[in-house]
Amino acid sequence: MCPAFLFMTDNFQKPFKTIDEQIEILKNRNLIIDNEDVAKKTLQSLSYYKIVNGYQNPFWAKTDYFLNGTSFFDVILFYKFDTLMRNDMLNCFLTLETKIKTIISYEYCKEYGALGYLDKNNYAIKANATKLDKFMETVEQIKADSIKDLSNDFQSEHAQPKYFKYIPVRHYIQKYQNVPLWVMMESLTLGNVSVFYELMPKKIRVNVAKSISELSQVQYNERDITTILSSMTILRNTCAHGNTIYNFKIKKNLTDNSFVKIIKNDYPNLNTNNLSLGFIILASILPNTEVKMMFELVLKLYNACVQNYPPRVIEKIKHAMGFDLCKLIKVLKNHMPQTMPY
């Protein structure tokens, strides 16, 4: 039963505000609004919460009061930069996700066969029983969902994504009565795959790490890959849900693998429990043309953005990010492995 206080509204301090009222709030907080019509249309389409609450902090002189000279355009420009960086990073992560899923399924099936993942005996002896049971339930749920008759609720927003996502699974069940791992991988989330990797026998985890090392020309051990997968899952999902990422933080740093050590030689005291981990993972495991182009674009967008800001704002952005973006990208470009053809 939910606690009663969750439904109490008497003391709620955030009442609805019209667009005009939102504009007045911003003006009273010392934000310059040169064109109110443009500002109103922006708030109508992007929402006050996403724009202002997400990106106002670097521009504050004090809480709820903007630095003198700060304009609505300044905040929107920062939002645009963060949005483009997030979308570009997500595209690169999707490419990397495919490569990692392919390597994991290949190494696992090489040892246990196409359907070995359905047998609990083919997992680590010390595998977490609760996690293993939940993973097996996820697999069975995907199989069950794939063969449901969705004709009655196909128009629902939840039915359509599953219908198209599970087409390969449905085909194999209908034709072969079961689903090989490399097909099931298409329907597993990156979070599912991260758990699957954690549950696999150590020998297979080591082989996966070796394959990724050969692919990227950077030496990883199985612990490195465990950390990369868990960190990448959190950041990838943050990007996919359209959340603010410039101030992204997680609890743990990346392990000091061989590539991270090289980067820290040129960037001492770098913490990787922030957005820097995304750039480092992409630079080390997926050093292809797409990633290099993303780095160049992000750098160009960032410089175009901050050239309009006073030094105090720039320093607050760096502090919120937890690293100097320009410095990190320069270091990464100097040490990225040889570019992959794709």
Side-chain angles (χ1 to χ4, degrees):
M1 181 179 293
C2 293
F5 73 84
L6 291 178
F7 301 99
M8 293 174 65
T9 60
D10 292 347
N11 297 320
F12 189 66
Q13 300 297 315
K14 292 289 184 180
F16 170 80
K17 299 291 184 182
T18 66
I19 299 295
D20 288 333
E21 288 173 328
Q22 293 171 21
I23 293 290
E24 286 306 309
I25 290 172
L26 293 174
K27 289 163 70 174
N28 290 335
R29 291 179 178 177
N30 202 37
L31 188 68
I32 298 169
I33 300 179
D34 296 316
N35 190 321
E36 288 197 16
D37 287 337
V38 171
K40 288 177 181 179
K41 289 178 180 177
T42 302
L43 291 173
Q44 284 174 334
S45 62
L46 296 175
S47 94
Y48 183 100
Y49 181 81
K50 178 174 282 292
I51 295 294
V52 180
N53 290 31
Y55 299 95
Q56 64 185 349
N57 287 17
F59 303 96
W60 277 357
K62 57 183 179 180
T63 302
D64 291 339
Y65 196 82
F66 289 93
L67 290 164
N68 289 335
T70 303
S71 70
F72 187 73
F73 174 77
D74 292 330
V75 180
I76 290 296
L77 190 62
F78 190 42
Y79 159 78
K80 290 290 187 182
F81 157 71
D82 192 64
T83 300
L84 291 168
M85 175 171 64
R86 180 181 65 234
N87 292 343
D88 284 345
M89 182 166 282
L90 177 59
N91 285 335
C92 291
F93 274 143
L94 293 176
T95 301
L96 179 55
E97 183 176 333
T98 298
K99 290 181 180 294
I100 289 176
K101 284 182 174 181
T102 300
I103 291 171
I104 289 176
S105 62
Y106 179 84
E107 293 297 336
Y108 190 90
C109 292
K110 187 168 65 174
E111 182 72 21
Y112 295 113
L115 301 178
Y117 73 104
L118 300 173
D119 185 346
K120 288 185 178 181
N121 293 317
N122 294 334
Y123 289 84
I125 295 174
K126 295 183 179 180
N128 183 295
T130 302
K131 284 187 177 181
L132 180 54
D133 286 342
K134 190 169 183 179
F135 177 76
M136 290 298 192
E137 288 172 9
T138 298
V139 168
E140 291 306 315
Q141 188 62 56
I142 290 172
K143 290 161 70 175
D145 286 344
S146 73
I147 55 175
K148 278 182 180 177
D149 181 5
L150 300 176
S151 58
N152 294 328
D153 63 344
F154 185 67
Q155 296 304 315
S156 76
E157 59 179 309
H158 299 296
Q160 291 191 44
K162 284 186 177 181
Y163 180 85
F164 290 109
K165 184 178 182 180
Y166 297 158
I167 284 177
V169 174
R170 180 165 58 256
H171 167 74
Y172 269 82
I173 289 179
Q174 291 175 341
K175 189 169 183 178
Y176 303 105
Q177 290 74 56
N178 225 319
V179 188
L181 178 59
W182 57 85
V183 175
M184 180 58 69
M185 277 287 182
E186 296 297 312
S187 297
L188 292 173
T189 67
L190 185 59
N192 297 149
V193 174
S194 179
V195 171
F196 178 57
Y197 179 80
E198 181 185 333
L199 295 169
M200 293 191 307
K202 183 172 182 177
K203 179 174 70 171
I204 310 302
R205 297 199 305 272
V206 169
N207 288 341
V208 169
K210 286 180 180 178
S211 292
I212 292 176
S213 298
E214 291 173 4
L215 179 73
S216 62
Q217 303 172 48
V218 174
Q219 291 304 307
Y220 296 107
N221 58 40
E222 50 97 14
R223 180 170 166 265
D224 296 331
I225 302 303
T226 299
T227 304
I228 286 170
L229 282 173
S230 60
S231 302
M232 180 179 157
T233 297
I234 298 170
L235 180 52
R236 178 246 190 250
N237 290 344
T238 300
C239 291
H241 293 147
N243 296 328
T244 304
I245 65 161
Y246 79 93
N247 54 359
F248 173 84
K249 296 288 189 300
I250 59 173
K251 293 181 179 179
K252 293 183 179 180
N253 284 279
L254 291 174
T255 52
D256 277 346
N257 60 59
S258 60
F259 188 75
V260 171
K261 287 179 180 178
I262 290 171
I263 298 306
K264 286 186 175 181
N265 283 337
D266 286 357
Y267 198 148
N269 303 318
L270 173 67
N271 288 317
T272 56
N273 63 336
N274 48 47
L275 188 61
S276 68
L277 71 87
F279 290 100
I280 291 171
I281 290 171
L282 291 172
S284 58
I285 305 182
L286 192 70
N288 63 8
T289 303
E290 179 186 2
V291 169
K292 289 193 172 185
M293 288 176 63
M294 188 271 277
F295 283 7
E296 293 291 345
L297 179 59
V298 167
L299 199 57
K300 193 172 292 186
L301 290 168
Y302 178 78
N303 286 329
C305 187
V306 299
Q307 71 179 1
N308 296 288
Y309 302 152
R312 181 177 176 180
V313 170
I314 297 173
E315 286 307 309
K316 291 177 79 172
I317 290 173
K318 289 179 181 179
H319 178 75
M321 294 186 78
F323 63 98
D324 184 327
L325 179 62
C326 295
K327 181 176 180 180
L328 177 65
I329 289 181
K330 181 180 179 181
V331 172
L332 289 174
K333 286 167 65 179
N334 288 339
H335 295 291
M336 281 177 72
Q338 184 178 351
T339 301
M340 297 177 184
Y342 50 84

